[in-house]
Amino acid sequence: MTDYINSLDEHQRIADLRKRVLGAFEKSSWPKTDEEEWRRTDLSVFDLDDLGTPDAELREKTGAEIKHGRIHRLNDVLNCSGELIPPAVVDRIFTELERMADNPANRITLWNLLQSEEIFVLHVPRGTDDKELHELCWHSLGEDVSRHATVVVVAEEMSSARIAIRMKGMSGHLQTMGAVYLVDDGAKLGVSVLQESSDEVLALYQAEARVGRDARLLHFEGILGGGFVKNRVEVGLAGSGSDLVLDGLYFTDGEQHVDLRTVQHHQAEHASSRTYYKGVMKDESEAVFQGLIEVNHEARGTDAYLTNNNLILNDGAKADSIPSLNIKTDDVKCSHGSTTGRIDEEQIYYLQCRGFTRKEAEEMLIIGFFEDLLHNLPGNMQDDVRQQIHRRLKGSF
């Protein structure tokens, strides 16, 4: 990996960051199943150290499609001497990346920072009310290679913006993405992340966020692809009156394995958070949802909720739901819940009495199961996700 870093023609500041990450990476180890978060997801079945990095020709054929101009590549930012993003914001971005290097969630965080072919930046200046949707599609091809990217969003005070990230991959390889979302005091940020890769892809997404005083973050993740998926979203509610919504849906079939981890970390007074995830499993697939509400001693007046609902479509599918609380103060309102079950036969009968076939009835009920989550997506993505779910359902019954 040292040779890989030295071979990159990149800005010296990024090279210095990677060298810092490399030192931490070499001292770390891959997550193991004796760790609670990884007990149901075994990465040792993959030889991660032997996965190759893409050559120059492959990089030209794949990469990123930026559909709105405010998303920039960090190298471009550094080469423009402050014309794209103010130097103070660039310094802040590097401070965050260095913090991740010094205090990573796990070795995957370091690996992604070390290998990221692109570091994308979205800066929303103070007071900006951005009505447009910023879209980034990270796509990759090629067998037995790993593709890596990092996204950093800085939403300054009293600003508002939305970003949609789509991850698409083909053939047998690994795809990772790390993300940092900084939502300053009074700002509002909406994030939607859609996994659309083929069933031969190992996909890892790890996001960290910090929400300031009276600020709001809405983060949605949709898992509609990837043969082996492990996602982690951790949000610190660092300012009083901050607000967080974590939404997610997943549809698994075949032999897919999906493991999702969320952390609502309340660090300040009178903050509120809600996590709401729904999943549908069929065939021999399995899904794991692990959600944690963590409340610090000083986070009085916390209002937090966490729930996970699952539908099992046949005997071979499996769902594990592990909601949990870690509360260190008394003045809070916190709760969690979980349900796992089958489609209601009475509802099937009701629809059949009105002329629908059983297949049509089941499809309608599954789409309806996800509907409340889809309402928080941008309008163009709502229709797209619905169509993808319909395609996954076609021929299922």
Side-chain angles (χ1 to χ4, degrees):
M1 288 191 177
T2 305
D3 293 338
Y4 168 66
I5 294 173
N6 292 337
S7 70
L8 287 175
D9 181 15
E10 61 183 355
H11 194 283
Q12 184 61 45
R13 194 168 184 182
I14 298 178
D16 290 342
L17 171 66
R18 294 191 199 272
K19 290 176 182 177
R20 180 172 182 163
V21 174
L22 179 61
F25 179 84
E26 291 178 336
K27 297 176 183 177
S28 66
S29 57
W30 297 112
K32 296 180 175 63
T33 54
D34 58 0
E35 303 172 39
E36 179 58 30
E37 181 180 343
W38 294 86
R39 192 159 62 87
R40 299 160 185 84
T41 297
D42 187 3
L43 280 182
S44 68
V45 300
F46 304 98
D47 195 352
L48 299 181
D49 290 320
D50 284 350
L51 281 172
T53 56
D55 56 27
E57 182 179 356
L58 182 60
R59 286 172 191 252
E60 292 176 1
K61 293 180 180 178
T62 63
E65 178 184 1
I66 299 174
K67 296 184 178 181
H68 187 62
R70 196 183 291 239
I71 299 176
H72 303 290
R73 292 170 170 86
L74 186 54
N75 261 325
D76 295 337
V77 171
L78 295 172
N79 291 333
C80 287
S81 302
E83 294 177 16
L84 296 177
I85 296 178
V89 177
V90 174
D91 290 342
R92 185 177 176 188
I93 290 168
F94 275 97
T95 297
E96 279 301 314
L97 296 177
E98 290 165 358
R99 180 196 59 77
M100 290 175 66
D102 295 339
N103 188 28
N106 49 52
R107 199 183 203 202
I108 296 168
T109 300
L110 298 169
W111 193 36
N112 187 75
L113 275 175
L114 188 65
Q115 297 277 46
S116 283
E117 300 132 58
E118 299 282 7
I119 299 176
F120 300 100
V121 176
L122 171 60
H123 169 231
V124 190
R126 179 175 179 171
T128 301
D129 185 8
D130 196 336
K131 301 296 186 183
E132 297 196 54
L133 176 66
H134 303 267
E135 294 184 78
L136 171 66
C137 180
W138 177 247
H139 52 90
S140 50
L141 302 170
E143 296 185 1
D144 299 324
V145 298
S146 57
R147 303 300 312 276
H148 309 262
T150 298
V151 176
V152 182
V153 179
V154 180
E156 293 191 323
E157 293 181 5
M158 305 305 295
S159 66
S160 176
R162 297 178 302 163
I163 181 172
I165 301 170
R166 308 178 81 117
M167 300 174 67
K168 299 183 178 181
M170 303 295 291
S171 301
H173 72 284
L174 177 140
Q175 182 183 62
T176 77
M177 177 171 284
V180 181
Y181 306 113
L182 304 178
V183 190
D184 290 349
D185 294 350
K188 297 179 181 178
L189 177 65
V191 179
S192 58
V193 181
L194 199 58
Q195 174 55 254
E196 304 172 278
S197 297
S198 72
D199 289 348
E200 290 76 37
V201 171
L202 165 60
L204 308 173
Y205 168 74
Q206 296 201 149
E208 299 181 19
R210 188 161 62 250
V211 186
R213 177 172 52 85
D214 296 325
R216 187 173 195 264
L217 171 65
L218 166 63
H219 183 284
F220 171 89
E221 58 179 326
I223 312 301
L224 298 174
F228 191 102
V229 177
K230 179 68 172 81
N231 288 3
R232 190 178 202 279
V233 181
E234 181 171 0
V235 181
L237 293 152
S240 62
S242 53
D243 183 34
L244 168 67
V245 176
L246 295 180
D247 282 348
L249 66 82
Y250 43 99
F251 187 106
T252 65
D253 59 9
E255 297 181 352
Q256 276 184 280
H257 176 88
V258 171
D259 187 334
L260 307 176
R261 168 71 165 177
T262 64
V263 180
Q264 303 151 251
H265 191 181
H266 285 257
Q267 303 163 333
E269 294 182 341
H270 303 295
S272 61
S273 67
R274 189 209 71 182
T275 296
Y276 188 30
Y277 274 61
K278 286 187 171 184
V280 173
M281 282 64 62
K282 74 183 193 73
D283 300 331
E284 301 296 319
S285 65
E286 59 183 6
V288 180
F289 173 80
Q290 304 177 73
L292 171 64
I293 297 174
E294 190 169 60
V295 182
N296 287 8
H297 289 286
E298 61 272 21
R300 293 176 296 276
T302 287
D303 186 350
Y305 181 66
L306 162 68
T307 189
N308 173 228
N309 298 326
N310 295 292
L311 277 181
I312 305 292
L313 300 186
N314 56 265
D315 289 340
K318 180 182 178 183
D320 286 331
S321 184
I322 309 106
S324 57
L325 304 173
N326 183 11
I327 301 173
K328 301 175 182 177
T329 185
D330 294 331
D331 182 15
V332 299
K333 180 182 177 182
C334 295
S335 60
H336 62 69
S338 173
T339 64
T340 300
R342 302 291 185 99
I343 294 178
D344 190 336
E345 286 297 326
E346 288 189 9
Q347 294 177 345
I348 295 287
Y349 176 74
Y350 178 88
L351 291 171
Q352 286 180 312
C353 288
R354 279 147 183 79
F356 296 100
T357 67
R358 183 178 180 88
K359 177 182 176 181
E360 290 170 338
E362 290 179 333
E363 289 184 356
M364 290 173 64
L365 290 172
I366 292 172
I367 294 294
F369 178 71
F370 286 133
E371 193 64 33
D372 54 347
L373 286 172
L374 297 178
H375 281 305
N376 281 329
L377 286 172
N380 59 335
M381 290 192 70
Q382 287 185 29
D383 295 336
D384 192 13
V385 173
R386 282 193 190 92
Q387 290 173 7
Q388 289 199 53
I389 294 173
H390 275 297
R391 285 196 294 269
R392 298 289 295 274
L393 289 171
K394 189 177 181 180
S396 296
F397 307 109

